Amino acid sequence: MNRTDGLVRRAVRNRDNGAEGGTAGNGLNANTADDNQDMNQNKDHEDNIDDGDSKETRLTLMEEVLLLGLKDKEGYTSFWNDCISSGLRGCILIELGLRGRIMMEKSGMRRRGLCSRKVILKSDQPTGDVLLDEALKHIKETNPPETVQSWIEYLSGETWNPLKLRYQLKNVRERLAKNLVEKGVLTTEKQNFLLFDMTTHPLSDNVVKCRLVRKIQDSVLSKWVNDPQRMDKRMLSLIFLAHASDVIENAFAPLNDDDYEVAMKRVRELLDLDFEAEAAKPNANEIIWAVFMAFTK
């Protein structure tokens, strides 16, 4: 079975690369502080919004990765893809990081690396997403804290420690697919596979997936910035986790050969970054880089 079943073949024609003192002083300080707080709140709010998506079709990182991996007509992921489960757990951790619920512990005087530092609860305020809140509950109740690598293993059930199996998030793909059905992106069908029946979720709204694919393509072609710190954090995370989940090829399949080569070259540049150095830069979200490192160990 081919990973690109149901996808459009790469085009052979050239792609259009066009860019689609006193009291007064105290008052001033207070106003400045309020302005800074408002700016930070706006930035956090922007981190949670997918550009170009309406409220009805706004997707989480987990939903976007799953949507890339689903065959449009068949409504299921490739049976040969054994990477998407852990990739979706990485998405969950990054979503929690972007929403300000978790953070990495300080590196300390010994300057410990991302792999050895623990995930710390920053806020236990519910996110409104069942999967995210379930993972957040596990992180809150775990003492002592665990590393990003450990949490990916625990949440996916890939651990040899029987005491940690209770942390596994079950039926993640099916639950995400049902979310996409509720958002009108997918539909639900039953298919017979000789010995058993399986629930599938074929694509019902091609516009949403086409917009997602185009957004990824543009980010590495016409809107490429050649600096990960200037890239949108969600898009950077989506590109990396789509690659870690072995579904990035599905976004690039419609490209002509030249653009495909450029896109893959730029993805490889992101994979070759020094994640420790990037995490140490100002305004970097350390959870994102810690998750990236966990998938490249």
Side-chain angles (χ1 to χ4, degrees), residues 180-202:
L180 290 170
V181 170
E182 292 177 0
K183 294 179 180 182
V185 181
L186 304 178
T187 187
T188 301
E189 294 181 358
K190 288 281 187 181
Q191 288 196 27
N192 181 269
F193 288 84
L194 298 180
L195 299 178
F196 61 94
D197 291 332
M198 185 175 80
T199 301
T200 60
H201 299 283

PDB file of all heavy atoms in Angstrom, residues 180-202:
ATOM      1  N   LEU A 180     -12.969  16.126  13.821  1.00  0.00           N
ATOM      2  CA  LEU A 180     -13.002  16.639  12.453  1.00  0.00           C
ATOM      3  C   LEU A 180     -14.363  16.399  11.805  1.00  0.00           C
ATOM      4  O   LEU A 180     -14.792  17.180  10.953  1.00  0.00           O
ATOM      5  CB  LEU A 180     -11.885  15.990  11.628  1.00  0.00           C
ATOM      6  CG  LEU A 180     -10.466  16.426  12.011  1.00  0.00           C
ATOM      7  CD1 LEU A 180      -9.420  15.558  11.312  1.00  0.00           C
ATOM      8  CD2 LEU A 180     -10.240  17.897  11.671  1.00  0.00           C
ATOM      9  N   VAL A 181     -15.048  15.341  12.195  1.00  0.00           N
ATOM     10  CA  VAL A 181     -16.414  15.105  11.718  1.00  0.00           C
ATOM     11  C   VAL A 181     -17.331  16.205  12.255  1.00  0.00           C
ATOM     12  O   VAL A 181     -18.159  16.769  11.518  1.00  0.00           O
ATOM     13  CB  VAL A 181     -16.926  13.716  12.157  1.00  0.00           C
ATOM     14  CG1 VAL A 181     -18.425  13.580  11.874  1.00  0.00           C
ATOM     15  CG2 VAL A 181     -16.155  12.616  11.434  1.00  0.00           C
ATOM     16  N   GLU A 182     -17.181  16.523  13.539  1.00  0.00           N
ATOM     17  CA  GLU A 182     -18.003  17.575  14.146  1.00  0.00           C
ATOM     18  C   GLU A 182     -17.745  18.933  13.498  1.00  0.00           C
ATOM     19  O   GLU A 182     -18.646  19.776  13.419  1.00  0.00           O
ATOM     20  CB  GLU A 182     -17.724  17.647  15.647  1.00  0.00           C
ATOM     21  CG  GLU A 182     -18.208  16.430  16.426  1.00  0.00           C
ATOM     22  CD  GLU A 182     -17.856  16.504  17.896  1.00  0.00           C
ATOM     23  OE1 GLU A 182     -17.221  17.513  18.308  1.00  0.00           O
ATOM     24  OE2 GLU A 182     -18.208  15.570  18.641  1.00  0.00           O
ATOM     25  N   LYS A 183     -16.534  19.143  13.004  1.00  0.00           N
ATOM     26  CA  LYS A 183     -16.192  20.408  12.350  1.00  0.00           C
ATOM     27  C   LYS A 183     -16.548  20.403  10.871  1.00  0.00           C
ATOM     28  O   LYS A 183     -16.290  21.383  10.167  1.00  0.00           O
ATOM     29  CB  LYS A 183     -14.699  20.698  12.535  1.00  0.00           C
ATOM     30  CG  LYS A 183     -14.316  20.964  13.984  1.00  0.00           C
ATOM     31  CD  LYS A 183     -12.829  21.224  14.155  1.00  0.00           C
ATOM     32  CE  LYS A 183     -12.495  21.494  15.627  1.00  0.00           C
ATOM     33  NZ  LYS A 183     -11.054  21.796  15.841  1.00  0.00           N
ATOM     34  N   GLY A 184     -17.120  19.297  10.397  1.00  0.00           N
ATOM     35  CA  GLY A 184     -17.573  19.228   9.020  1.00  0.00           C
ATOM     36  C   GLY A 184     -16.489  18.928   8.014  1.00  0.00           C
ATOM     37  O   GLY A 184     -16.718  19.026   6.803  1.00  0.00           O
ATOM     38  N   VAL A 185     -15.302  18.525   8.491  1.00  0.00           N
ATOM     39  CA  VAL A 185     -14.182  18.250   7.587  1.00  0.00           C
ATOM     40  C   VAL A 185     -14.233  16.817   7.074  1.00  0.00           C
ATOM     41  O   VAL A 185     -13.920  16.546   5.913  1.00  0.00           O
ATOM     42  CB  VAL A 185     -12.838  18.521   8.293  1.00  0.00           C
ATOM     43  CG1 VAL A 185     -11.669  18.255   7.355  1.00  0.00           C
ATOM     44  CG2 VAL A 185     -12.788  19.956   8.810  1.00  0.00           C
ATOM     45  N   LEU A 186     -14.625  15.889   7.939  1.00  0.00           N
ATOM     46  CA  LEU A 186     -14.712  14.470   7.587  1.00  0.00           C
ATOM     47  C   LEU A 186     -16.140  13.984   7.750  1.00  0.00           C
ATOM     48  O   LEU A 186     -16.986  14.657   8.342  1.00  0.00           O
ATOM     49  CB  LEU A 186     -13.781  13.636   8.482  1.00  0.00           C
ATOM     50  CG  LEU A 186     -12.296  13.997   8.523  1.00  0.00           C
ATOM     51  CD1 LEU A 186     -11.569  13.089   9.512  1.00  0.00           C
ATOM     52  CD2 LEU A 186     -11.660  13.911   7.145  1.00  0.00           C
ATOM     53  N   THR A 187     -16.393  12.802   7.227  1.00  0.00           N
ATOM     54  CA  THR A 187     -17.657  12.114   7.464  1.00  0.00           C
ATOM     55  C   THR A 187     -17.348  10.726   8.007  1.00  0.00           C
ATOM     56  O   THR A 187     -16.181  10.336   8.085  1.00  0.00           O
ATOM     57  CB  THR A 187     -18.478  12.012   6.164  1.00  0.00           C
ATOM     58  OG1 THR A 187     -19.768  11.478   6.466  1.00  0.00           O
ATOM     59  CG2 THR A 187     -17.780  11.113   5.145  1.00  0.00           C
ATOM     60  N   THR A 188     -18.353   9.987   8.398  1.00  0.00           N
ATOM     61  CA  THR A 188     -18.148   8.667   8.993  1.00  0.00           C
ATOM     62  C   THR A 188     -18.826   7.598   8.153  1.00  0.00           C
ATOM     63  O   THR A 188     -19.992   7.738   7.776  1.00  0.00           O
ATOM     64  CB  THR A 188     -18.704   8.616  10.431  1.00  0.00           C
ATOM     65  OG1 THR A 188     -18.059   9.608  11.225  1.00  0.00           O
ATOM     66  CG2 THR A 188     -18.471   7.252  11.054  1.00  0.00           C
ATOM     67  N   GLU A 189     -18.073   6.518   7.870  1.00  0.00           N
ATOM     68  CA  GLU A 189     -18.608   5.395   7.105  1.00  0.00           C
ATOM     69  C   GLU A 189     -18.125   4.092   7.723  1.00  0.00           C
ATOM     70  O   GLU A 189     -17.189   4.076   8.521  1.00  0.00           O
ATOM     71  CB  GLU A 189     -18.153   5.462   5.639  1.00  0.00           C
ATOM     72  CG  GLU A 189     -18.695   6.646   4.865  1.00  0.00           C
ATOM     73  CD  GLU A 189     -18.236   6.639   3.422  1.00  0.00           C
ATOM     74  OE1 GLU A 189     -17.454   5.725   3.049  1.00  0.00           O
ATOM     75  OE2 GLU A 189     -18.641   7.550   2.665  1.00  0.00           O
ATOM     76  N   LYS A 190     -18.761   2.997   7.323  1.00  0.00           N
ATOM     77  CA  LYS A 190     -18.330   1.652   7.718  1.00  0.00           C
ATOM     78  C   LYS A 190     -17.818   0.932   6.480  1.00  0.00           C
ATOM     79  O   LYS A 190     -18.472   0.931   5.441  1.00  0.00           O
ATOM     80  CB  LYS A 190     -19.492   0.867   8.330  1.00  0.00           C
ATOM     81  CG  LYS A 190     -19.920   1.329   9.710  1.00  0.00           C
ATOM     82  CD  LYS A 190     -18.981   0.816  10.786  1.00  0.00           C
ATOM     83  CE  LYS A 190     -19.535   1.147  12.182  1.00  0.00           C
ATOM     84  NZ  LYS A 190     -18.626   0.677  13.242  1.00  0.00           N
ATOM     85  N   GLN A 191     -16.631   0.321   6.586  1.00  0.00           N
ATOM     86  CA  GLN A 191     -16.088  -0.443   5.476  1.00  0.00           C
ATOM     87  C   GLN A 191     -15.792  -1.859   5.930  1.00  0.00           C
ATOM     88  O   GLN A 191     -15.355  -2.085   7.061  1.00  0.00           O
ATOM     89  CB  GLN A 191     -14.806   0.212   4.939  1.00  0.00           C
ATOM     90  CG  GLN A 191     -15.053   1.498   4.173  1.00  0.00           C
ATOM     91  CD  GLN A 191     -13.849   1.903   3.334  1.00  0.00           C
ATOM     92  OE1 GLN A 191     -13.068   1.061   2.922  1.00  0.00           O
ATOM     93  NE2 GLN A 191     -13.711   3.197   3.103  1.00  0.00           N
ATOM     94  N   ASN A 192     -16.031  -2.805   5.034  1.00  0.00           N
ATOM     95  CA  ASN A 192     -15.792  -4.204   5.345  1.00  0.00           C
ATOM     96  C   ASN A 192     -14.422  -4.635   4.823  1.00  0.00           C
ATOM     97  O   ASN A 192     -14.111  -4.446   3.658  1.00  0.00           O
ATOM     98  CB  ASN A 192     -16.873  -5.089   4.719  1.00  0.00           C
ATOM     99  CG  ASN A 192     -16.664  -6.558   5.039  1.00  0.00           C
ATOM    100  OD1 ASN A 192     -15.998  -7.265   4.293  1.00  0.00           O
ATOM    101  ND2 ASN A 192     -17.232  -6.999   6.156  1.00  0.00           N
ATOM    102  N   PHE A 193     -13.602  -5.187   5.714  1.00  0.00           N
ATOM    103  CA  PHE A 193     -12.274  -5.670   5.356  1.00  0.00           C
ATOM    104  C   PHE A 193     -12.221  -7.189   5.563  1.00  0.00           C
ATOM    105  O   PHE A 193     -11.499  -7.699   6.411  1.00  0.00           O
ATOM    106  CB  PHE A 193     -11.198  -4.985   6.191  1.00  0.00           C
ATOM    107  CG  PHE A 193     -10.979  -3.547   5.816  1.00  0.00           C
ATOM    108  CD1 PHE A 193     -11.785  -2.546   6.338  1.00  0.00           C
ATOM    109  CD2 PHE A 193      -9.983  -3.192   4.920  1.00  0.00           C
ATOM    110  CE1 PHE A 193     -11.586  -1.226   5.991  1.00  0.00           C
ATOM    111  CE2 PHE A 193      -9.779  -1.866   4.568  1.00  0.00           C
ATOM    112  CZ  PHE A 193     -10.576  -0.876   5.093  1.00  0.00           C
ATOM    113  N   LEU A 194     -13.049  -7.907   4.808  1.00  0.00           N
ATOM    114  CA  LEU A 194     -13.096  -9.365   4.821  1.00  0.00           C
ATOM    115  C   LEU A 194     -13.475  -9.937   6.182  1.00  0.00           C
ATOM    116  O   LEU A 194     -14.561 -10.473   6.365  1.00  0.00           O
ATOM    117  CB  LEU A 194     -11.764  -9.959   4.341  1.00  0.00           C
ATOM    118  CG  LEU A 194     -11.373  -9.621   2.898  1.00  0.00           C
ATOM    119  CD1 LEU A 194     -10.028 -10.265   2.557  1.00  0.00           C
ATOM    120  CD2 LEU A 194     -12.442 -10.087   1.923  1.00  0.00           C
ATOM    121  N   LEU A 195     -12.560  -9.832   7.146  1.00  0.00           N
ATOM    122  CA  LEU A 195     -12.801 -10.461   8.442  1.00  0.00           C
ATOM    123  C   LEU A 195     -13.407  -9.527   9.478  1.00  0.00           C
ATOM    124  O   LEU A 195     -13.843  -9.974  10.535  1.00  0.00           O
ATOM    125  CB  LEU A 195     -11.487 -11.037   8.992  1.00  0.00           C
ATOM    126  CG  LEU A 195     -10.816 -12.118   8.134  1.00  0.00           C
ATOM    127  CD1 LEU A 195      -9.511 -12.557   8.782  1.00  0.00           C
ATOM    128  CD2 LEU A 195     -11.746 -13.316   7.947  1.00  0.00           C
ATOM    129  N   PHE A 196     -13.429  -8.236   9.189  1.00  0.00           N
ATOM    130  CA  PHE A 196     -13.943  -7.304  10.182  1.00  0.00           C
ATOM    131  C   PHE A 196     -14.453  -6.036   9.502  1.00  0.00           C
ATOM    132  O   PHE A 196     -14.089  -5.728   8.365  1.00  0.00           O
ATOM    133  CB  PHE A 196     -12.856  -6.945  11.203  1.00  0.00           C
ATOM    134  CG  PHE A 196     -11.646  -6.275  10.589  1.00  0.00           C
ATOM    135  CD1 PHE A 196     -11.552  -4.893  10.545  1.00  0.00           C
ATOM    136  CD2 PHE A 196     -10.607  -7.034  10.072  1.00  0.00           C
ATOM    137  CE1 PHE A 196     -10.447  -4.279   9.982  1.00  0.00           C
ATOM    138  CE2 PHE A 196      -9.489  -6.433   9.508  1.00  0.00           C
ATOM    139  CZ  PHE A 196      -9.406  -5.041   9.466  1.00  0.00           C
ATOM    140  N   ASP A 197     -15.296  -5.318  10.208  1.00  0.00           N
ATOM    141  CA  ASP A 197     -15.774  -4.012   9.770  1.00  0.00           C
ATOM    142  C   ASP A 197     -14.961  -2.930  10.471  1.00  0.00           C
ATOM    143  O   ASP A 197     -14.602  -3.075  11.651  1.00  0.00           O
ATOM    144  CB  ASP A 197     -17.254  -3.829  10.108  1.00  0.00           C
ATOM    145  CG  ASP A 197     -18.144  -4.731   9.263  1.00  0.00           C
ATOM    146  OD1 ASP A 197     -17.725  -5.064   8.134  1.00  0.00           O
ATOM    147  OD2 ASP A 197     -19.234  -5.102   9.743  1.00  0.00           O
ATOM    148  N   MET A 198     -14.679  -1.865   9.749  1.00  0.00           N
ATOM    149  CA  MET A 198     -13.892  -0.777  10.327  1.00  0.00           C
ATOM    150  C   MET A 198     -14.572   0.558  10.041  1.00  0.00           C
ATOM    151  O   MET A 198     -15.055   0.794   8.931  1.00  0.00           O
ATOM    152  CB  MET A 198     -12.476  -0.758   9.748  1.00  0.00           C
ATOM    153  CG  MET A 198     -11.561   0.275  10.408  1.00  0.00           C
ATOM    154  SD  MET A 198      -9.852   0.173   9.820  1.00  0.00           S
ATOM    155  CE  MET A 198      -9.981   1.038   8.260  1.00  0.00           C
ATOM    156  N   THR A 199     -14.611   1.403  11.071  1.00  0.00           N
ATOM    157  CA  THR A 199     -15.137   2.755  10.893  1.00  0.00           C
ATOM    158  C   THR A 199     -14.085   3.605  10.193  1.00  0.00           C
ATOM    159  O   THR A 199     -12.936   3.638  10.615  1.00  0.00           O
ATOM    160  CB  THR A 199     -15.491   3.387  12.247  1.00  0.00           C
ATOM    161  OG1 THR A 199     -16.465   2.568  12.909  1.00  0.00           O
ATOM    162  CG2 THR A 199     -16.039   4.784  12.070  1.00  0.00           C
ATOM    163  N   THR A 200     -14.468   4.253   9.127  1.00  0.00           N
ATOM    164  CA  THR A 200     -13.546   5.116   8.389  1.00  0.00           C
ATOM    165  C   THR A 200     -14.106   6.534   8.338  1.00  0.00           C
ATOM    166  O   THR A 200     -15.304   6.755   8.589  1.00  0.00           O
ATOM    167  CB  THR A 200     -13.326   4.604   6.957  1.00  0.00           C
ATOM    168  OG1 THR A 200     -14.588   4.585   6.260  1.00  0.00           O
ATOM    169  CG2 THR A 200     -12.751   3.198   6.969  1.00  0.00           C
ATOM    170  N   HIS A 201     -13.239   7.472   7.990  1.00  0.00           N
ATOM    171  CA  HIS A 201     -13.643   8.882   7.974  1.00  0.00           C
ATOM    172  C   HIS A 201     -13.145   9.567   6.707  1.00  0.00           C
ATOM    173  O   HIS A 201     -12.151  10.298   6.723  1.00  0.00           O
ATOM    174  CB  HIS A 201     -13.100   9.582   9.223  1.00  0.00           C
ATOM    175  CG  HIS A 201     -13.608   9.011  10.510  1.00  0.00           C
ATOM    176  ND1 HIS A 201     -14.871   9.272  11.000  1.00  0.00           N
ATOM    177  CD2 HIS A 201     -13.029   8.162  11.402  1.00  0.00           C
ATOM    178  CE1 HIS A 201     -15.047   8.620  12.130  1.00  0.00           C
ATOM    179  NE2 HIS A 201     -13.949   7.946  12.396  1.00  0.00           N
ATOM    180  N   PRO A 202     -13.842   9.345   5.590  1.00  0.00           N
ATOM    181  CA  PRO A 202     -13.451  10.001   4.333  1.00  0.00           C
ATOM    182  C   PRO A 202     -13.605  11.518   4.413  1.00  0.00           C
ATOM    183  O   PRO A 202     -14.371  12.043   5.235  1.00  0.00           O
ATOM    184  CB  PRO A 202     -14.430   9.408   3.313  1.00  0.00           C
ATOM    185  CG  PRO A 202     -14.963   8.161   3.954  1.00  0.00           C
ATOM    186  CD  PRO A 202     -14.969   8.430   5.416  1.00  0.00           C
TER     187      PRO A 202
END
